[in-house]
Amino acid sequence: MNESTMSKKKRYYRWLRISIHSSLVLVCGSAAILLGRLYYEKGGKSKWMGTLVQLAGFPIQLPFHFISAPKNLTTNSSIHPKQSSASILAFIYVSIGLLLALDCYLYSVGLWYLPVSTYSLICSSQLAFNAFFSYFLNSLKFTPYIINSLVLLTISATLLVFQNESSSSDDDDSDSTQVSKKKYVIGFICTVGASAGYGLWLSLTQLVFKKVIKRETFKVVLDMILYTSLVATLATLVGLFASGEWSGLKNEMKEYELGKASYLLNLTFTAILWQVFTIGCLGLIREVSSLFSNAISALGVPIVPMLAVVFFHDKMDGIKGISMVLAIWGIISYVYQQYLDDTKSENRNTSHVPKASSPIEEVHR
């Protein structure tokens, strides 16, 4: 009876942690996107600054790096006798960091050119790209639910190609609210490219953990995010100065419609929210898996468009509504497949693992 009670308590606290991390991902991710759009809406013009705020807040995660695991568990060489060399890890961190910088820049360009609701709906395609790249890099099996998700998310994103044509025909004179067809196409391509890059980034990270690092403890995952974020931040700073956008930041702050204080607060809180979002993702990776973390982040798809209608007066017409329904359906299909996989994994572990699990097993779960 005591073992059963303890097991129920563990399960309860585990799902409580998952709920908290999921809330952080959904709330902070949605708020960060809206603040990013507010920056552009009120006079912000620097795409590199929009990129920098997605990355530069990574030092917030440093305390988690030092308290992530007890020393006696992370320094046990008998568990992982073959550690990856420093040069290999450095190459991996630099390569993935540069990919991350490019990805965040494309997201920034997409958010600059597109209505935030359209941008958010296109971003849901990252799940489809993640599954696509995982099929080739991580031997992901295409189940009926995964295929259904891929088809729905592809149709959802494709419908938005026609969104600008229908909206511009309704109101040709509202230049302040409608983007030109050329800018819409650029924003669409950049956002799709960013979603593809994000899916590739997740698949490559999973491949590195499996084939190179050969472990996925919380500390190792945090190392990956911290070092790649450092590389991506440095690359973004190079882009900011090389593009010449840095010279216009002072005037941009002066001309910001909400004032200098609001300008600084917007950038600061955007950076903080993205890092809290990342902390929530890390928690989900630790408690469940990276795929589950990605699926939860995609659940913000219906949240952002509805908030965009309220705060930015985005139009929610028939095409965008159908796109949102298809995206939600595709995400639910993807999450359900993840649920089935986790259930099978738990049943397999229950049938093969002894009742008394060691602390090491708890760390690697």
Side-chain angles (χ1 to χ4, degrees):
M1 289 294 293
N2 289 334
E3 288 182 3
S4 176
T5 304
M6 290 296 293
S7 178
K8 287 181 179 179
K9 282 186 177 181
K10 277 187 176 182
R11 194 179 303 113
Y12 169 78
Y13 284 118
R14 178 174 179 265
W15 280 105
L16 178 62
R17 291 192 300 270
I18 290 174
S19 300
I20 292 172
H21 294 316
S22 298
S23 300
L24 290 178
V25 168
L26 293 173
V27 174
C28 294
S30 301
I33 291 174
L34 293 174
L35 281 179
R37 182 58 197 173
L38 183 67
Y39 164 75
Y40 291 127
E41 193 83 7
K42 298 303 179 181
K45 300 174 183 177
S46 174
K47 302 177 189 68
W48 284 107
M49 179 57 72
T51 305
L52 188 62
V53 293
Q54 298 178 54
L55 300 163
F58 72 90
I60 295 174
Q61 300 178 41
L62 286 174
F64 294 90
H65 182 270
F66 297 108
I67 64 175
S68 58
K71 291 183 178 178
N72 61 336
L73 292 181
T74 58
T75 59
N76 192 335
S77 60
S78 63
I79 304 169
H80 307 289
K82 292 184 180 180
Q83 301 291 338
S84 301
S85 67
S87 59
I88 293 176
L89 288 177
F91 174 77
I92 289 171
Y93 293 148
V94 170
S95 300
I96 295 180
L98 293 176
L99 173 63
L100 182 60
L102 174 62
D103 191 51
C104 289
Y105 180 76
L106 291 175
Y107 273 128
S108 182
V109 174
L111 192 57
W112 163 257
Y113 285 129
L114 294 177
V116 67
S117 55
T118 304
Y119 166 87
S120 178
L121 288 170
I122 297 173
C123 285
S124 66
S125 63
Q126 68 190 35
L127 279 175
F129 285 113
N130 187 17
F132 175 78
F133 288 119
S134 292
Y135 174 79
F136 293 102
L137 297 177
N138 302 306
S139 303
L140 176 69
K141 293 181 179 179
F142 276 180
T143 65
Y145 291 109
I146 293 292
I147 295 173
N148 182 57
S149 176
L150 288 172
V151 172
L152 291 172
L153 291 172
T154 301
I155 296 174
S156 173
T158 304
L159 282 175
L160 295 174
V161 174
F162 308 100
Q163 169 68 23
N164 190 55
E165 294 181 1
S166 62
S167 62
S168 60
S169 62
D170 293 338
D171 189 0
D172 295 330
D173 298 326
S174 56
D175 295 331
S176 60
T177 56
Q178 301 295 338
V179 294
S180 69
K181 187 174 182 180
K182 181 180 178 182
K183 289 182 177 180
Y184 185 93
V185 171
I186 293 173
F188 182 89
I189 292 174
C190 287
T191 308
V192 171
S195 299
Y198 186 76
L200 177 61
W201 174 71
L202 284 175
S203 299
L204 284 175
T205 302
Q206 185 178 349
L207 180 67
V208 167
F209 284 137
K210 186 177 180 181
K211 300 293 184 180
V212 181
I213 301 177
K214 297 181 180 178
R215 48 181 173 153
E216 196 171 345
T217 63
F218 184 67
K219 187 175 184 300
V220 170
V221 172
L222 192 54
D223 282 341
M224 172 68 74
I225 290 180
L226 285 174
Y227 291 130
T228 55
S229 295
L230 174 61
V231 172
T233 300
L234 294 175
T236 303
L237 287 172
V238 171
L240 178 64
F241 284 96
S243 66
E245 288 186 2
W246 66 274
S247 60
L249 293 180
K250 190 174 182 180
N251 289 332
E252 180 179 288
M253 183 168 61
K254 287 181 181 179
E255 297 171 2
Y256 196 68
E257 292 181 21
L258 301 179
K260 294 181 182 179
S262 296
Y263 179 85
L264 294 174
L265 286 173
N266 184 309
L267 296 179
T268 301
F269 277 101
T270 303
I272 292 173
L273 284 169
W274 277 124
Q275 295 310 310
V276 178
F277 167 84
T278 304
I279 290 169
C281 289
L282 276 173
L284 291 177
I285 290 172
R286 185 186 187 185
E287 296 291 343
V288 190
S289 68
S290 59
L291 286 174
F292 184 82
S293 176
N294 190 18
I296 290 297
S297 65
L299 286 177
V301 166
I303 298 175
V304 175
M306 288 186 289
L307 292 176
V309 171
V310 175
F311 293 107
F312 297 106
H313 307 292
D314 280 8
K315 292 183 178 180
M316 184 60 70
D317 57 14
I319 292 178
K320 196 178 289 185
I322 294 172
S323 176
M324 186 169 72
V325 170
L326 291 175
I328 295 172
W329 186 4
I331 291 167
I332 291 174
S333 181
Y334 193 97
V335 171
Y336 184 68
Q337 180 59 55
Q338 181 65 35
Y339 167 76
L340 293 178
D341 292 341
D342 287 345
T343 302
K344 286 182 182 178
S345 178
E346 287 181 6
N347 292 337
R348 195 180 303 115
N349 290 337
T350 303
S351 60
H352 290 90
V353 178
K355 289 183 180 179
S357 60
S358 67
I360 301 300
E361 289 169 344
E362 292 294 330
V363 171
H364 289 278
R365 187 171 298 170

